């Protein structure tokens, strides 16, 4: 166990470039197990089963995956390399459809690859070096973005505030620091005593297992609640603001995030509590005018009926509705905080 969570990154490249070291998030909070991903199945399974999760972390892991798999392929001829590059890129692209950071990172890797091909005498060894540097850069930029998000978001907060968050948009979900949780960590470093309420986040319990874990480890005052307790908590006047992360933001500000986020936004509007979304500008999907066109990932029924229970908790063959994300309408979002600034309704991200 590492005492200080920030001493390690949840995603980091092995020095020899032959694998990606990740903290297996499905084992938290009971075990802190690092695993090395090396082959196709390792990577696709890790992303699909949420061993690595959170929109920015998925994007970073996919960029590294593309490099590691190409590097490990040992392919020497450029035409063969190109065919394999496209195959792997598409494979990774289809692992999780909603987080735009996945396609952002993979498209950047492809752009770098196409730049390499302009040099007709380039070797696959040199291409691998360039891909490695690009993946490292994507991670580095994410770290910088998160620090800027923290600085921007803290201007909306005050010492002693009580903040509600949903899912996990913290250190575990990114390169470092988090998005929604980054200002909380900054506030903590300033000696502010912010109190956080973390929604459990059914069905995969990212709030209970991950947010509670990382905030507690960082010494932040955190209280866990079930998702259906939010209205009760808000009605008692216990919440000053809500901050969540995001997986995809449309041009009009409609935002996809973990299932349950939109109901919290509706409640926040009713109780007149500010509802903030924090995320890097790479989460903005400039091709989507509104959230209506977002593809929402649908997940296995077992996550609702069996996972976490010692025995099945619903009749056999019951129909199950299990979308991984929902879309919060932009009118319900008091502000969207990126590394570039604080945006308010009506949203215009053309900067
Ligand atoms: O299914 P998950 O756990 O990947 O969902 C994660 C979220 O919804 C996060 O809030 C979002 O990705 C932002 S992470 C900084």
């Amino acid at each position: 166990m590492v005492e200080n969570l920030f001493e390690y990154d949840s995603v980091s490249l092995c020095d020899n470039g032959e694998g990606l070291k990740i903290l297996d998030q499905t084992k938290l909070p009971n075990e802190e197990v690092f695993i090395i991903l090396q082959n196709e199945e390792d990577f696709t399974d890790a992303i699909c089963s949420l061993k690595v999760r959170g929109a920015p972390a998925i994007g970073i892991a996919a960029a590294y995956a593309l490099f590691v798999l190409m590097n490990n392929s040992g392919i020497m001829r450029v035409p063969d390399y190109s065919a394999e590059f496209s195959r792997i890129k598409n494979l990774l692209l289809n692992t999780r459809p909603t987080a735009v950071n996945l396609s952002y990172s993979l498209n950047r890797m492809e752009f770098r690859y196409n730049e390499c091909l302009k040099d007709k005498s380039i070797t696959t060894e040199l291409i691998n070096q360039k891909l490695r540097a690009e993946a490292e850069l994507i991670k580095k930029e994410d770290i910088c973005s998160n620090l800027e998000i923290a600085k921007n978001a803290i201007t909306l907060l005050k010492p002693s505030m009580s903040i509600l968050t949903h899912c996990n948009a913290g250190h575990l979900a990114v390169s470092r620091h988090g998005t929604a949780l980054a200002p909380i960590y900054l506030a903590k470093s300033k000696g502010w005593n912010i109190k956080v309420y973390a929604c459990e986040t059914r069905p995969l319990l990212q709030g209970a297992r991950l947010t509670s874990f990382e905030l507690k480890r960082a010494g932040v005052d955190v209280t866990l609640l079930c998702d259906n307790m939010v209205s009760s908590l808000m009605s008692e006047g216990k919440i000053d603001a809500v901050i969540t992360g995001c997986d995809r933001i449309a041009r009009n500000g409609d935002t996809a995030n973990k299932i349950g986020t939109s109901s919290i936004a509706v409640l926040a509007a009713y109780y007149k509590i500010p509802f903030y979304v924090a995320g890097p500008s790479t989460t903005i999907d400039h091709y989507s005018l509104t959230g209506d066109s977002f593809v929402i990932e649908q997940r296995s029924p077992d996550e609702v009926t069996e996972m976490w229970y010692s025995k099945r908790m619903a009749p056999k063959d019951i129909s199950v509705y299990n979308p991984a994300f929902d879309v919060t309408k932009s009118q319900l979002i008091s502000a969207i905080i990126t590394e570039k600034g604080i945006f308010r309704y009506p949203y215009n991200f053309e900067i």
Side-chain angles (χ1 to χ4, degrees):
M1 186 181 100
V2 183
E3 281 309 316
N4 181 353
L5 184 71
F6 301 104
E7 276 171 22
Y8 60 76
D9 293 345
S10 26
V11 179
S12 51
L13 187 64
C14 299
D15 289 341
N16 63 8
E18 290 170 14
L20 185 67
K21 188 173 164 196
I22 64 159
L23 176 64
D24 182 349
Q25 297 193 35
T26 59
K27 298 268 194 299
L28 290 170
N30 299 320
E31 290 171 74
E32 283 169 62
V33 179
F34 283 91
I35 52 173
I36 309 280
L37 313 177
Q38 278 178 307
N39 61 41
E40 234 170 87
E41 209 198 318
D42 292 346
F43 281 106
T44 51
D45 168 66
I47 297 174
C48 292
S49 67
L50 274 57
K51 287 179 180 156
V52 56
R53 48 138 305 277
I58 294 169
I60 295 162
Y64 279 128
L66 198 46
F67 158 68
V68 169
L69 294 174
M70 292 313 300
N71 190 40
N72 290 353
S73 74
I75 296 174
M76 306 297 279
R77 286 183 63 246
V78 174
D80 299 342
Y81 194 102
S82 288
E84 183 65 351
F85 186 98
S86 302
R87 190 186 70 78
I88 291 176
K89 186 198 160 195
N90 287 329
L91 187 82
L92 293 166
L93 204 52
N94 290 321
T95 47
R96 296 197 73 191
T98 307
V100 77
N101 313 63
L102 183 68
S103 55
Y104 167 81
S105 293
L106 291 170
N107 289 339
R108 255 184 76 166
M109 294 294 278
E110 187 172 49
F111 179 82
R112 180 60 51 220
Y113 178 57
N114 289 333
E115 288 288 298
C116 291
L117 294 184
K118 287 183 183 160
D119 174 358
K120 297 291 170 215
S121 60
I122 197 153
T123 60
T124 55
E125 197 184 348
L126 188 55
I127 296 174
N128 284 334
Q129 282 174 26
K130 300 268 185 197
L131 292 181
R132 179 179 185 148
E134 190 66 18
E136 297 279 30
L137 187 61
I138 290 171
K139 178 173 170 183
K140 206 167 147 200
E141 287 175 6
D142 187 63
I143 298 171
C144 295
S145 286
N146 297 334
L147 290 172
E148 292 306 308
I149 289 169
K151 284 189 216 156
N152 290 333
I154 202 168
T155 64
L156 300 167
L157 308 182
K158 288 192 187 76
S160 306
M161 263 189 165
S162 284
I163 309 283
L164 180 86
T165 191
H166 188 63
C167 194
N168 172 263
H171 184 75
L172 294 166
V174 301
S175 52
R176 271 178 223 169
H177 313 293
T179 56
L181 299 191
I184 311 281
Y185 292 129
L186 182 57
K188 168 92 188 150
S189 73
K190 288 176 184 288
W192 295 13
N193 58 339
I194 297 257
K195 181 170 178 56
V196 178
Y197 285 90
C199 289
E200 177 186 42
T201 318
R202 282 277 293 152
L204 293 180
L205 308 183
Q206 289 92 334
R209 295 187 303 106
L210 310 177
T211 297
S212 310
F213 163 79
E214 68 163 87
L215 287 175
K216 220 167 170 299
R217 179 66 63 80
V220 174
D221 177 358
V222 53
T223 299
L224 178 65
L225 65 148
C226 298
D227 302 340
N228 54 2
M229 296 169 186
V230 172
S231 180
S232 159
L233 188 69
M234 287 180 170
S235 72
E236 288 179 16
K238 294 218 171 108
I239 298 298
D240 298 307
V242 179
I243 313 181
T244 73
C246 47
D247 280 75
R248 191 177 287 258
I249 304 172
R251 276 166 58 185
N252 75 339
D254 288 354
T255 296
N257 191 50
K258 179 52 55 194
I259 189 73
T261 304
S262 70
S263 30
I264 298 173
V266 170
L267 288 172
Y270 179 80
Y271 289 109
K272 301 195 172 29
I273 296 167
F275 179 93
Y276 302 125
V277 169
S281 59
T282 50
T283 309
I284 300 168
D285 172 4
H286 294 279
Y287 296 103
S288 292
L289 281 178
T290 72
D292 294 345
S293 56
F294 291 171
V295 175
I296 300 294
E297 177 185 357
Q298 303 293 321
R299 294 189 61 92
S300 160
D302 312 357
E303 292 177 350
V304 176
T305 56
E306 288 175 58
M307 217 168 168
W308 321 115
Y309 297 126
S310 57
K311 60 180 182 210
R312 192 180 169 85
M313 279 296 149
K316 257 185 159 225
D317 303 325
I318 187 85
S319 302
V320 172
Y321 175 66
N322 187 17
F325 302 96
D326 60 21
V327 178
T328 300
K329 295 284 180 199
S330 59
Q331 298 91 317
L332 295 173
I333 303 173
S334 314
I336 296 178
I337 307 138
T338 79
E339 76 284 8
K340 295 187 175 162
I342 297 173
F343 300 84
R344 290 188 188 268
Y345 184 83
Y347 292 95
N348 175 11
F349 301 105
E350 307 303 329
I351 45 164

